[in-house]
Amino acid sequence: MTSLLKRAQARIARRSKMLGRLARDVSAVAMIEVAFCVPILAMIGFGGIEYANLLLSTTRVNQIGLSAADNAARIAFGSNLSQPRVREVDINEVFAGVEEQAKGMNFKANGRVILSSIERNADGGQWIHWQRCYGDLPVSSAFGPQGTGATGTSFAGVGATASAGTAIMLVEVTYDYKSLLWGKWFQTKRIQETSAFLIREARDLHGDNGTGVFNPAPAVTPALCT
């Protein structure tokens, strides 16, 4: 019995010494610290990449709006014998420029550009004479659909005022930003930008049957906001 007790005490003593040496062993401290820190550092790093990509996308959307409004304001098809006209094909070319500028963003599926011609109506008020759209995102103009303010002066306009015989090319860009790395955990962020340019020179604002836009042969399909 005494022998068994001594052997048990010896085993306990050996285990105590082993636990003591293990407690004093600091050789793996750095590895343990790294194991705890790496996930946190990875999340911070990925967060920085995500934020930078969001800023880049916001800047691109802003530039798309500015370029589209500027290009629309420069449309001047015609000859010296008549005032410049806006054709459906010219508007489609503006939207082609949008798609080119938005390469890599899958803009057609996740965004929309709304181009509106803000003019003065017969009553001296502002109105949206015509409106064209590009992109599949189902959003509407914040200022109203085509024809808003056609009569009277109740339409507040868009901040800037179109004088008689001129027009303001208003562009509203909406884009649903999809998360680059954390799309399964974070909601889609909607980016919206608005730009406006006064047309560069006087135009024939009447259009075919008073629509404001011409569509001569060979006619193209209008990019209506439907």
Side-chain angles (χ1 to χ4, degrees):
M1 186 71 178
T2 303
S3 177
L4 290 175
L5 181 60
K6 287 182 178 179
R7 285 200 296 271
Q9 289 174 341
R11 285 197 297 270
I12 293 172
R14 287 196 298 271
R15 290 176 181 176
S16 297
K17 290 180 181 179
M18 185 182 300
L19 290 173
R21 288 196 302 271
L22 183 61
R24 292 189 297 273
D25 189 355
V26 295
S27 59
V29 169
M31 184 177 296
I32 295 173
E33 291 176 346
V34 169
F36 278 107
C37 292
V38 164
I40 298 174
L41 294 174
M43 289 185 66
I44 293 173
F46 289 147
I49 294 173
E50 189 71 65
Y51 185 65
N53 190 60
L54 174 60
L55 287 179
L56 177 60
S57 297
T58 302
T59 300
R60 292 186 69 182
V61 169
N62 177 263
Q63 292 301 313
I64 287 169
L66 288 172
S67 297
D70 188 25
N71 290 336
R74 294 176 185 274
I75 295 174
F77 174 80
S79 66
N80 293 331
L81 301 177
S82 63
Q83 283 187 315
R85 297 178 172 185
V86 175
R87 303 172 299 170
E88 296 290 356
V89 66
D90 300 318
I91 297 173
N92 289 350
E93 287 178 355
V94 170
F95 291 150
V98 168
E99 182 58 35
E100 185 68 23
Q101 195 171 357
K103 272 188 175 180
M105 297 177 68
N106 196 18
F107 187 87
K108 190 177 187 305
N110 299 320
R112 170 161 273 210
V113 174
I114 303 174
L115 172 61
S116 304
S117 180
I118 311 301
E119 303 172 22
R120 176 172 290 188
N121 64 25
D123 298 320
Q126 301 290 292
W127 70 307
I128 302 176
H129 192 177
W130 55 264
Q131 196 172 76
R132 298 292 184 270
C133 294
Y134 172 78
D136 299 332
L137 192 66
V139 295
S140 303
S141 171
F143 300 94
Q146 177 177 300
T148 299
T151 59
T153 58
S154 60
F155 178 50
V158 297
T161 302
S163 304
T166 66
I168 294 172
M169 295 292 100
L170 175 73
V171 170
E172 300 166 80
V173 186
T174 305
Y175 176 69
D176 279 353
Y177 172 78
K178 306 294 184 180
S179 179
L180 184 65
L181 301 170
W182 295 341
K184 295 181 179 179
W185 295 279
F186 289 86
Q187 294 181 347
T188 297
K189 179 176 177 57
R190 178 157 290 183
I191 304 172
Q192 294 178 301
E193 297 289 345
T194 303
S195 302
F197 276 78
L198 185 68
I199 59 175
R200 294 298 191 268
E201 56 184 300
R203 289 177 177 171
D204 184 342
L205 301 176
H206 186 265
D208 292 334
N209 300 317
T211 60
V213 183
F214 294 87
N215 197 8
V220 299
T221 302
L224 301 177
C225 300
T226 56

